[in-house]
């Protein structure tokens, strides 16, 4: 504050000598120079007193104040300092603003009941995406797919990637990318945890869970081509490491499914046989054995496995297969 007082005094002195120079035989260069110095000093004083919210850029604010002070007559300097400072610090209040009060709306007594089983189906959404002429209907179908399970939603979202509308394709792509990113994030976390774990059976369980995540990338169709081959091989390697320490029937069935997807039918059959030997119920193993036998062109074995399988509920895919092979 002392510095500001000193600056103000120096400004008054410069302004006084500038005025005296004008009143006698004027030396205009000296008078203008003294007035400029006084204007600069008073600009510093004015900048110090204005509120902080008006202090944007130092150079711009200082230049504005300096030009206002420099272009006014000599006695106008003091008037500008007090006028601007007082106007900014004490703005006029506008009492003419009308404020209209609104009552806060009451909340409903009970929340609306939302069905856990949506009324749409996979076939219905696919039909909308294929045949609906209005883009809004196709966009609604993609939005509806976002609320379905991954196994049901991903085929619909992949179909939406072929839509002619950019908005629909972008929405489907972002949704698929989000699902893949979540799985990849879990993969990274499991990899870090496996690297820090040496104790069994925790390590074996972590390896199995990581293998299931790799399998999920393939099973859901998020990995295609060479990437699909890679994630399946990673899943197989991790599952094999898991069963070296902890032999569970479910892991051998899992290995059988991986080998089946890789086209390693003989290995798939061996893993499924191990699962049966370890006590897994035959009804859980026979469908995969039948699929392996069919891929190996052992159709009699395929028919036998399906006949050994208990009759499935009507309308299910396995029931259709059983009825077909029973007629052969």
């Amino acid at each position: 504050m002392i510095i500001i007082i000193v600056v103000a005094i120096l400004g008054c002195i410069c302004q006084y000598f500038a005025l005296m120079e004008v009143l006698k035989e004027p030396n205009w260069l000296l008078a203008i120079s003294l007035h400029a110095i006084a204007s600069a000093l008073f600009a510093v004083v004015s900048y110090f007193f204005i509120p902080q919210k008006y202090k944007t850029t130092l150079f711009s604010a200082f230049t504005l104040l300096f030009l206002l002070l420099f272009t006014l007559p000599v006695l106008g300097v003091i008037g500008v300092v007090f006028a601007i400072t007082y106007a900014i610090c004490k703005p006029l209040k506008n009492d003419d603003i009308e404020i209209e009060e609104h009552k806060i709306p009451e909340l409903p007594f009970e929340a609306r009941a939302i069905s856990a089983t949506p009324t749409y189906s996979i076939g219905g959404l696919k039909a909308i995406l294929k045949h609906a002429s209005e883009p809004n209907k196709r966009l609604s179908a993609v939005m509806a797919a976002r609320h379905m399970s991954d196994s049901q939603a991903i085929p619909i979202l992949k179909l939406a990637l072929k839509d002619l509308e950019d908005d629909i394709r972008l929405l489907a792509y972002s949704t698929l990318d989000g699902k893949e990113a979540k799985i990849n994030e879990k993969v990274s976390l499991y990899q870090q945890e496996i690297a820090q774990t040496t104790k069994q059976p925790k390590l074996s369980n972590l390896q199995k869970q990581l293998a299931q995540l790799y399998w999920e990338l393939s099973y859901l169709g998020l990995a295609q081509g060479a990437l699909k081959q890679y994630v399946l091989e990673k899943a197989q390697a991790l599952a094999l490491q898991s069963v070296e320490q902890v032999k569970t029937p479910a892991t051998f069935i899992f290995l059988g499914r991986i080998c089946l997807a890789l086209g390693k039918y003989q290995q798939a059959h061996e893993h499924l046989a191990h699962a049966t030997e370890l006590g897994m119920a035959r009804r859980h193993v026979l469908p995969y054995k039948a699929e392996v036998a069919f891929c190996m062109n052992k159709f009699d074995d395929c028919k036998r496995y399906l006949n050994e399988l208990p009759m499935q509920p009507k309308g299910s895919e396995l029931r259709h297969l059983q009825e077909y092979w029973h007629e052969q």
Side-chain angles (χ1 to χ4, degrees), residues 188-320:
S188 179
L189 292 174
Y190 276 115
Q191 286 174 339
Q192 294 175 9
E193 196 168 354
I194 287 173
Q196 300 171 0
T197 304
T198 56
K199 294 182 179 179
Q200 295 291 353
K202 183 179 179 180
L203 178 60
S204 178
N205 291 331
L206 290 172
Q207 290 169 336
K208 180 181 177 181
Q209 290 171 354
L210 180 57
Q212 289 172 340
L213 288 174
Y214 280 120
W215 165 259
E216 191 172 357
L217 285 171
S218 169
Y219 180 73
L220 295 176
L222 295 173
Q224 298 289 336
L227 180 59
K228 179 178 180 180
Q229 182 79 11
Y230 170 77
V231 296
L232 285 173
E233 289 175 353
K234 288 287 292 184
Q236 182 186 19
L238 287 163
L240 288 172
Q241 292 174 11
S242 176
V243 294
E244 286 179 1
Q245 300 296 328
V246 180
K247 299 183 184 298
T248 58
T251 307
F252 279 105
I253 290 183
F254 181 49
L255 275 167
R257 296 179 68 187
I258 295 173
C259 292
L260 184 59
L262 286 169
K264 301 176 180 179
Y265 304 126
Q266 186 58 42
Q267 293 183 31
H269 180 77
E270 293 173 0
H271 290 311
L272 294 172
H274 280 304
T276 305
E277 293 171 1
L278 291 173
M280 176 61 71
R282 290 178 61 80
R283 67 177 183 275
H284 297 307
V285 184
L286 288 173
Y288 300 114
K289 281 188 173 182
E291 186 174 357
V292 171
F294 180 83
C295 292
M296 297 175 70
N297 296 326
K298 298 180 178 180
F299 303 119
D300 291 337
D301 290 341
C302 178
K303 181 177 181 180
R304 176 167 56 85
Y305 291 141
L306 289 173
N307 288 334
E308 292 178 10
L309 186 68
M311 192 60 67
Q312 300 299 301
K314 289 185 177 181
S316 63
E317 293 183 2
L318 273 178
R319 177 63 176 262
H320 294 319

Side-chain angles (χ1 to χ4, degrees), residues 9 51 55 81 88 127 131 151 174 186 203 208 218 240 252 260 328:
I9 294 173
K55 296 179 181 179
V81 171
I88 293 178
H131 305 297
S151 59
S174 63
K186 291 180 181 179
L203 178 60
K208 180 181 177 181
S218 169
L240 288 172
F252 279 105
L260 184 59
Q328 300 303 315

Side-chain angles (χ1 to χ4, degrees), residues 53-111:
K53 63 180 179 179
Y54 295 105
K55 296 179 181 179
T56 54
T57 305
L58 175 62
F59 177 77
S60 301
F62 180 81
T63 303
L64 175 63
L65 292 170
F66 174 78
L67 291 175
L68 285 172
L69 294 165
F70 182 75
T71 54
L72 289 173
V74 177
L75 295 178
V77 172
I78 299 174
V80 168
V81 171
F82 283 102
I84 292 181
T85 305
Y86 182 81
I88 293 178
C89 294
K90 299 286 186 179
L92 294 175
K93 294 182 179 180
N94 189 354
D95 297 329
D96 297 333
I97 300 175
E98 295 183 0
I99 300 176
E100 185 177 354
E101 295 185 2
H102 296 275
K103 293 183 179 181
I104 300 175
E106 296 182 359
L107 295 175
F109 179 72
E110 292 182 352

